[in-house]
Amino acid sequence: MYFIALCDDDVRELDIIEDYLTSYQKSKETDEYRIDRFQSAEELLERITEKEYVPDLLFLDIFMSGKTGIEAAGELRKQDCGMPIVFLTTSKEYALEAYGVDAVQYLVKPLTQERFFHAMDMAFQQMKMALENQIVVKVAGGGIRQMKADDIIYCES
């Protein structure tokens, strides 16, 4: 199961993205995913830093009250969060900055299904490549955790 985070201060835009995600899943028969919605960059960042929540994919609006999507993405990259980020915005003006924080795609609203599906294909391709380079480890308490071998500093059995 994939965890997909949507961050936009406009509830209608969140609904549109969620509808596209549902259509994409039905048409491509991909693995299931859980969608988490955030209405501000601050809410997203708080959830990621305090709750150890790391989505597999992030759809991020650029223009929001408070922090912009570019600022939020920059903070996530400083925290070594490497999830694919797809920016959704009303302006082409920030495209270079978006790719400066390693965006997978930069989509200008209003969205079309064709462009959205292409962005999803690119994001899933990147996520699958990342999963191929990970291992699964049994952790204390009976859980399991999937991680990159490079992230392991010390391991004891």
Side-chain angles (χ1 to χ4, degrees), residues 1-132:
M1 174 179 286
Y2 292 101
F3 294 95
I4 300 177
L6 314 178
C7 187
D8 196 312
D9 57 352
D10 185 343
V11 175
R12 292 171 299 181
E13 292 295 333
L14 290 170
D15 292 340
I16 290 168
I17 300 163
E18 197 164 343
D19 288 345
Y20 277 136
L21 284 169
T22 301
S23 297
Y24 181 84
Q25 186 176 24
K26 287 178 183 174
S27 72
K28 301 286 185 166
E29 298 179 12
T30 63
D31 294 336
E32 290 187 24
Y33 35 81
R34 187 181 95 195
I35 299 168
D36 295 301
R37 295 165 59 134
F38 302 91
Q39 288 188 269
S40 73
E42 291 83 4
E43 182 185 1
L44 171 72
L45 292 169
E46 180 181 325
R47 175 91 185 274
I48 289 176
T49 55
E50 292 183 7
K51 309 286 187 199
E52 295 186 19
Y53 165 78
V54 180
D56 296 303
L57 173 60
L58 173 59
F59 286 90
L60 188 57
D61 186 21
I62 290 182
F63 298 111
M64 296 183 281
S65 57
K67 289 184 193 251
T68 67
I70 298 286
E71 292 168 334
E75 287 187 33
L76 291 172
R77 294 304 189 223
K78 286 178 187 172
Q79 295 176 21
D80 288 330
C81 291
M83 82 284 286
I85 297 175
V86 176
F87 282 104
L88 307 166
T89 187
T90 56
S91 172
K92 297 176 184 178
E93 183 179 339
Y94 292 91
L96 289 177
E97 289 182 52
Y99 289 111
V101 290
D102 299 324
V104 173
Q105 286 286 306
Y106 186 94
L107 301 177
V108 178
K109 299 174 187 175
L111 298 174
T112 65
Q113 182 172 311
E114 181 182 347
R115 288 188 349 226
F116 185 87
F117 280 24
H118 176 71
M120 285 295 292
D121 290 342
M122 299 295 291
F124 269 107
Q125 183 180 16
Q126 187 172 336
M127 288 188 295
K128 287 179 182 180
M129 284 179 17
L131 285 176
E132 290 173 359

